Amino acid sequence: MQNHRFFSPELSQKVELLKSRTKKVQLGAIHFDSPLLLAPMSAICNSSFRVLMETLGAGGTVSELVSCHGINYGNERTLKMLDLNPLEKNMGIQIFGENAISMAKAARIVEKSQPKFVDINMGCPVRKVVNNGGGSALLKDSKKLSGFFKSIKNAINIPLTIKIRTGWDVDSINASEVINIAKGEGIEFVSIHGRTRTQQYKGSANWDLLEKIKSNSPLPIVGNGDLHNESQVRNRLAITNCDALMLGRGPVRDPFIFLKPFINTDENISFSANDYLEVIRLFNALMEEQDMRPRHHMIQLRKHIVWFAQGFPGVAKFRQLCFQTNTKEDAMRVAEDYFGNLQRAQKNINLDESFMAGGHG
Ligand SMILES: Cc1cc2nc3c(=O)[nH]c(=O)nc-3n(C[C@H](O)[C@H](O)[C@H](O)COP(=O)(O)O)c2cc1C
C-alpha cells in the first residue's frame, strides 16, 4: 500500500523506508509483507482503521468479530461489517458462532467480500458468547472441533485460520491439542492470545508457554498478548520462535508501532506530534469514504484521537476537551490545535496503567 497519496513527503519517506525493512512471512498459504499483524478488535477494526494500520506497516489485519447468525439472518448492520475498502489486500474477516452449519453458511457469504482469509474466533471470553458455545467455549469441546473445522473449510475456497487462547483455564491448557486438530483439517495458521479464558485480561500473557506451544506446533503460530510498545515488540521479535506477532491494544495508542521496531539504534528517526496529526487526518478521511453515520463517525474519531494522544503532555485536559465536542469537524479542530502546538514533545506512554482490559478474544 503506497503512502505518498496520503502523507506529507517527510512522513511518507520515513514510512516507506521502515516498511522496506520488514521481513516477509508465509503462513501456510497466506503471505504477509511483515510479521507484525493487527489483531481483531470489536468496535475498533473497521475498514478505515484496518487501512490506516496497513498503510503504517501492519503486514495484515483482521476484522472485528462478526456473528455468523447476524450474517445468516441478513442483518443490515452485520453485513456492513463485511465491507472491505478497495485498498485492503491483506485482511481476514473473523466470524464467531457455535454451530458448524451456521458457521459454514456464514463463511460462504463472507467469502463474497473477497477477504484474504476467514478467521474463526475461538478466544472470546465474553459470557454472552461463551454461554451460547461460541468463542473460547469451543476450546472446551475439542471432540467437536474436527467436524466443526471441516464443515467451514469445505464451504469456502479461501484459506481458513483460527484465533484461540491457551486454554479454558490453567488446569485445561489445550492449545497444542487444538492446533493438531486444526492441522488435520487444513487450517493455515493459528493466532494465540497467551492467556486462558478465565484469566480474561488479568495478569500477563504467558510468552514462555506461547514459545513452548510453537516449538511443538505443526502449524505456523502467530503469538499475541501484551506487546504494548515498540521495545516490547522489538525484543520479542528478536527472540521469538513464533512465525509472526499480532498486536491489538499497542497500535490503538501508537499507530507507528508496526514501524518503530525497524528503526536502527544509531538512526535519528522519530515520529513527531505532527506525524500523529497526519495519521488522524487520514483516519478521518478514510471514515468519510467509508460512508459512516455522522454520529458514529464522530464517536470513533474522538476516541481514536484521544488514544493517539496518550503519552503526550497535557493529555488529560485535552481528553476532556475532545469528548466535549459534538461534531467530527469540532473534534478535528481541537486535535489540530492540540497536536499542532505540541511541536517537538515526545510521546511517553505509562505502561503501568491498565489500558482496555476487556475484549472479545
Ligand atoms: C477492545 C478489544 C476488542 C477485542 N475484540 C476482539 C475480537 O473481536 N476478536 C478477537 O479474536 N479478539 C478480540 N480482542 C482480543 C485481541 O485481539 C487480543 O487478542 C488481545 O487484546 C491481546 O492482545 P494485545 O495485548 O496486543 O491487545 C479484543 C481486544 C480488545 C482490547
Side-chain angles (χ1 to χ4, degrees), residues 144-342:
K144 115 175 195 181
L145 288 182
S146 174
F148 187 74
F149 293 149
K150 200 190 295 291
S151 307
I152 304 167
K153 174 86 186 153
N154 286 343
I156 53 175
N157 294 306
I158 54 175
L160 184 62
T161 63
I162 61 175
K163 179 163 178 282
I164 66 176
R165 284 188 174 229
T166 51
W168 178 260
D169 61 21
V170 73
D171 297 320
S172 56
I173 301 282
N174 65 346
S176 295
E177 182 196 3
V178 174
I179 293 165
N180 281 315
I181 299 168
K183 166 74 182 170
E185 300 304 335
I187 302 291
E188 304 299 331
F189 67 78
V190 181
S191 309
I192 316 179
H193 177 184
R195 288 184 171 85
T196 62
R197 187 271 170 179
T198 49
Q199 231 184 318
Q200 303 264 348
Y201 281 77
K202 291 191 284 288
S204 315
N206 187 341
W207 275 94
D208 289 343
L209 179 58
L210 285 179
E211 298 294 353
K212 200 167 140 217
I213 294 167
K214 160 61 198 174
S215 64
N216 298 314
S217 170
L219 282 178
I221 297 296
V222 180
N224 165 245
D226 295 347
L227 301 175
H228 291 291
N229 67 11
E230 71 269 23
S231 55
Q232 291 177 335
V233 176
R234 190 185 292 117
N235 293 344
R236 183 51 56 183
L237 267 181
I239 58 170
T240 193
N241 283 315
C242 292
D243 302 274
L245 304 177
M246 195 172 246
L247 316 180
R249 291 165 293 177
V252 168
R253 287 194 287 186
D254 191 349
F256 295 113
I257 196 171
F258 294 105
L259 298 171
K260 285 179 174 177
F262 303 103
I263 300 174
N264 297 324
T265 43
D266 58 350
E267 263 175 336
N268 192 14
I269 299 179
S270 62
F271 292 96
S272 66
N274 194 61
D275 293 332
Y276 286 83
L277 184 55
E278 287 198 37
V279 168
I280 291 166
R281 288 191 195 123
L282 172 58
F283 186 48
N284 186 37
L286 287 165
M287 286 200 290
E288 207 68 68
E289 278 175 31
Q290 203 189 319
D291 194 23
M292 280 183 171
R293 284 169 291 127
R295 187 169 160 73
H296 186 51
H297 181 148
M298 187 261 301
I299 290 170
Q300 289 294 320
L301 182 64
R302 280 192 325 204
K303 78 179 184 191
H304 281 278
I305 288 173
V306 165
W307 285 332
F308 289 159
Q310 276 207 10
F312 279 117
V315 66
K317 208 164 146 222
F318 170 65
R319 184 185 300 123
Q320 278 185 350
L321 197 66
C322 192
F323 281 132
Q324 278 163 9
T325 59
N326 285 318
T327 62
K328 54 184 195 278
E329 290 77 14
D330 272 355
M332 280 308 294
R333 191 177 43 74
V334 295
E336 294 275 348
D337 272 1
Y338 173 72
F339 285 92
N341 285 321
L342 282 172

Side-chain angles (χ1 to χ4, degrees), residues 39-44 63-65 94 119 121-124 163 165 193 195 201 224-228 246-251 355-361:
M41 284 177 289
S42 67
I44 293 175
S63 74
E64 56 192 310
L65 82 174
Q94 185 187 70
D119 185 60
N121 181 314
M122 299 179 62
C124 179
K163 179 163 178 282
R165 284 188 174 229
H193 177 184
R195 288 184 171 85
Y201 281 77
N224 165 245
D226 295 347
L227 301 175
H228 291 291
M246 195 172 246
L247 316 180
R249 291 165 293 177
F355 179 62
M356 287 208 291
H360 285 274

Side-chain angles (χ1 to χ4, degrees), residues 91-115:
M91 71 84 67
I93 294 182
Q94 185 187 70
I95 55 176
F96 77 97
E98 70 300 336
N99 175 283
I101 296 170
S102 308
M103 286 288 278
K105 200 170 154 206
R108 211 173 294 125
I109 297 171
V110 164
E111 188 176 25
K112 292 191 193 135
S113 294
Q114 298 186 303

Side-chain angles (χ1 to χ4, degrees), residues 8-52:
S8 63
E10 295 74 26
L11 179 53
S12 273
Q13 207 180 359
K14 282 188 278 195
V15 170
E16 286 307 322
L17 173 71
L18 296 172
K19 271 171 121 173
S20 73
R21 292 179 183 168
T22 62
K23 201 176 94 223
K24 298 178 190 327
V25 288
Q26 186 72 36
L27 308 184
I30 306 174
H31 171 88
F32 296 116
D33 279 347
S34 166
L36 301 181
L37 313 177
L38 176 69
M41 284 177 289
S42 67
I44 293 175
C45 292
N46 58 29
S47 65
S48 299
F49 190 69
R50 297 190 309 254
V51 170
L52 190 71

